[in-house]
Amino acid sequence: MKKALITGITGQDGAYLARFLLKKGYEVHGIKRRSSLINTERIDDIYQDPHEKNLKLYLHYGDLADSTNVIRIIQQVQPDEIYNLGAMSHVKVSFDEPEYSADVDALGTLRILEAVRILGLTEKTKIYQASTSELYGKVQEIPQNEKTPFYPRSPYAVAKLYAYWITVNYREAYNMFACNGILFNHESPLRGETFVTRKITRGVARIALGLQDKIYLGNLDAKRDWGHAKDYVEAMYMILQHHTPEDFVIATGKTTSVRDFARMAFEEVGVILEFKGTGVDEVGIVAESRNPEFPIAIGSEVVAVDKRYFRPTEVDLLIGDASKAEKLLGWKPKHTLQDLVKDMVQADLELFRKDLAIKQQGYEVKNYYE
Ligand code: NDP
Ligand code: GDR
């Protein structure tokens, strides 16, 4: 039985990848951070109590900022494959926490590679590094492929640039099976709530159910190549099964603006949006409301711009060319953007219908602090 170690197992991709590998018959080990509140919500349904027999999923406390702990876990698990997904992954937040982002996203990767080397596992353990389309940053070429020059535009992307190159360097220096998956944006109902797609689909669901009036967004002109996380974790696995260690771009090849993503998400609840104004004065107004289940008043302003969500340096346009992955791995996305939007909006409607039911039943959350 193969053993996989996933850093970042409690995140969006970690949760999907863990499920995927368990289905493939792997023994899966995950590193979770200690936090004051339980942070395993995304993997609760696959969680196995350590007292159960025939355990297939093991969680270890750990942190990529702590090399002794990284070495100890890798020594204990002796994994066949490591998927290094753990990261401070929010681009905007990395401007507020640049040093921490560098420590975890850049040096964290070094700690994993070095642990494998120190422990003499270079021939046994394959390593997947979660690289990102943010490496391309300021547009140099359209679409972006494995040969496109990098121009990172945030502390996050600069840290990930180090992680990219240290992975290449360990592959070349020590003959390690270490690969970069240069993944373009991928989303799902499990996406963190502060990334733009999930912020929009949550907002749409709450507005449709009468729980919220408006969504405040930043740069509506930014364009991203958005895919479905389910398809992308399969690509991670395929990259490590390839006969040689190589780096791959994973993307859909289509790009969409934040404004159009918002349009599509509102259409899912029968609302046709019209955008008026420019820059920080732009607003999204309900032009038509076609679903009687969600009676949102025509003329209501449901999207507005707040400049606090603008970034000091922005990545304007990402569109990936995944033809290498298609040719060598046989990977192609199965979900369209339409599928993704539907999946996310429907999941958020389900989530917030529960809140609405609680509110309608007159239950109030007790305030324990007074
Ligand atoms: P998430 O933010 O959902 O998950 C990040 C994970 O990393 C969480 O499990 C988090 O733990 C963990 N983590 C954060 N800091 C540390 C630390 N110091 N030590 C150990 N673990 C830590 O990200 P995604 O699942 O979306 O992304 C997975 C990886 O892929 C990330 O490295 C991201 O940068 C990269 N990536 C993501 C893309 C995307 O579009 N989603 C595209 C390209 C790359 P906790 O739950 O406790 O916060
Ligand atoms: P990104 O994702 O920065 O591409 O990084 P995010 O969803 O945060 O932003 C995408 C684009 O939307 C614009 N935007 C907003 N973004 C957020 N978060 N909130 C807003 O209100 C908002 N309004 C507009 C942003 O300016 C940006 O242009 C994600 C992360 O998962 C990274 O870890 C990963 O490496 C890359 O995708 C690929």
Side-chain angles (χ1 to χ4, degrees):
M1 186 195 293
K2 275 196 179 173
K3 283 188 197 175
L5 173 65
I6 305 175
T7 72
I9 194 168
T10 56
Q12 170 189 259
D13 291 4
Y16 280 115
L17 181 66
R19 269 176 197 78
F20 178 81
L21 293 176
L22 285 170
K23 276 200 194 125
K24 288 249 170 239
Y26 276 64
E27 179 177 297
V28 175
H29 293 254
I31 298 186
K32 66 166 179 174
R33 295 194 290 172
R34 191 271 158 184
S35 66
S36 65
L37 291 169
I38 290 172
N39 62 352
T40 51
E41 201 181 317
R42 290 188 179 104
I43 48 169
D44 278 351
D45 60 315
I46 53 169
Y47 177 75
Q48 294 175 313
D49 188 282
H51 304 98
E52 277 178 38
K53 285 194 182 120
N54 300 321
L55 270 190
K56 292 284 180 313
L57 176 69
Y58 297 79
L59 295 180
H60 307 256
Y61 278 113
D63 200 302
L64 284 162
D66 177 345
S67 54
T68 57
N69 145 278
V70 168
I71 295 169
R72 183 180 50 73
I73 294 171
I74 295 177
Q75 182 173 37
Q76 192 184 328
V77 175
Q78 300 275 313
D80 299 289
E81 295 170 9
I82 298 178
Y83 294 87
N84 184 32
L85 311 183
M88 201 311 285
S89 73
H90 203 285
V91 173
K92 174 73 162 59
V93 174
S94 77
F95 287 95
D96 302 324
E97 300 181 10
E99 186 181 334
Y100 177 71
S101 305
D103 191 8
V104 174
D105 299 7
L107 294 181
T109 307
L110 174 67
R111 290 180 185 114
I112 297 274
L113 291 160
E114 197 46 14
V116 169
R117 191 177 76 86
I118 292 169
L119 292 167
L121 293 171
T122 49
E123 283 182 17
K124 172 182 169 71
T125 307
K126 297 178 179 180
I127 300 172
Y128 172 88
Q129 168 55 22
S131 284
T132 163
S133 50
E134 283 295 296
L135 295 173
Y136 298 118
K138 196 167 177 180
V139 180
Q140 307 288 303
E141 196 175 76
I142 295 171
Q144 293 103 23
N145 63 31
E146 293 80 2
K147 297 203 169 77
T148 302
F150 297 139
Y151 193 139
R153 294 271 281 173
S154 62
Y156 165 80
V158 174
K160 285 280 188 177
L161 184 75
Y162 175 88
Y164 171 92
W165 280 117
I166 200 69
T167 301
V168 173
N169 182 245
Y170 269 55
R171 179 168 75 216
E172 293 173 354
Y174 305 116
N175 210 17
M176 285 168 71
F177 199 109
C179 311
N180 288 288
I182 308 173
L183 271 51
F184 282 61
N185 297 56
H186 46 278
E187 322 291 312
S188 73
L190 299 186
R191 185 57 144 153
E193 290 88 345
T194 59
F195 296 98
V196 75
T197 54
R198 185 76 198 287
K199 187 170 163 185
I200 291 170
T201 62
R202 274 170 63 96
V204 166
R206 289 174 58 83
I207 291 168
L209 297 171
L211 294 165
Q212 181 178 328
D213 297 328
K214 202 181 281 191
I215 312 170
Y216 290 96
L217 297 172
N219 179 11
L220 299 177
D221 291 319
K223 288 186 159 181
R224 289 291 182 276
D225 180 333
W226 278 300
H228 199 301
K230 274 188 191 165
D231 293 339
Y232 286 49
V233 299
E234 284 197 40
M236 296 174 185
Y237 166 78
M238 291 166 109
I239 288 172
L240 288 197
Q241 311 318 308
H242 189 54
H243 55 89
T244 49
E246 292 187 39
D247 305 321
F248 290 91
V249 161
I250 301 296
T252 71
K254 297 194 176 85
T255 195
T256 306
S257 68
V258 170
R259 185 183 298 102
D260 283 343
F261 188 97
R263 265 201 193 100
M264 289 173 76
F266 272 100
E267 270 175 41
E268 206 38 53
V269 293
V271 165
I272 305 299
L273 276 194
E274 206 172 87
F275 282 87
K276 291 191 175 152
T278 51
V280 285
D281 295 325
E282 185 166 351
V283 288
I285 292 169
V286 177
E288 282 179 54
S289 186
R290 295 173 177 164
N291 186 343
E293 193 193 344
F294 307 118
I296 308 170
I298 292 172
S300 359
E301 193 182 293
V302 286
V303 175
V305 172
D306 182 337
K307 63 177 187 309
R308 90 177 61 197
Y309 301 115
F310 283 80
R311 293 158 186 199
T313 39
E314 176 63 291
V315 173
D316 297 321
L317 166 67
L318 291 174
I319 176 165
D321 168 8
S323 46
K324 178 180 173 189
E326 185 176 349
K327 197 167 153 217
L328 298 189
L329 306 176
W331 181 88
K332 256 166 85 164
K334 294 176 191 144
H335 295 81
T336 63
L337 181 60
Q338 198 72 49
D339 300 335
L340 174 69
V341 172
K342 193 181 181 68
D343 208 9
M344 292 179 74
V345 172
Q346 292 305 331
D348 279 327
L349 279 169
E350 203 175 308
L351 185 69
F352 290 110
R353 276 195 182 106
K354 284 186 212 139
D355 278 12
L356 186 64
I358 290 169
K359 198 174 159 188
Q360 284 169 344
Q361 290 299 314
Y363 288 112
E364 284 195 17
V365 179
K366 198 169 166 195
N367 184 347
Y368 291 100
Y369 309 107
E370 284 174 357

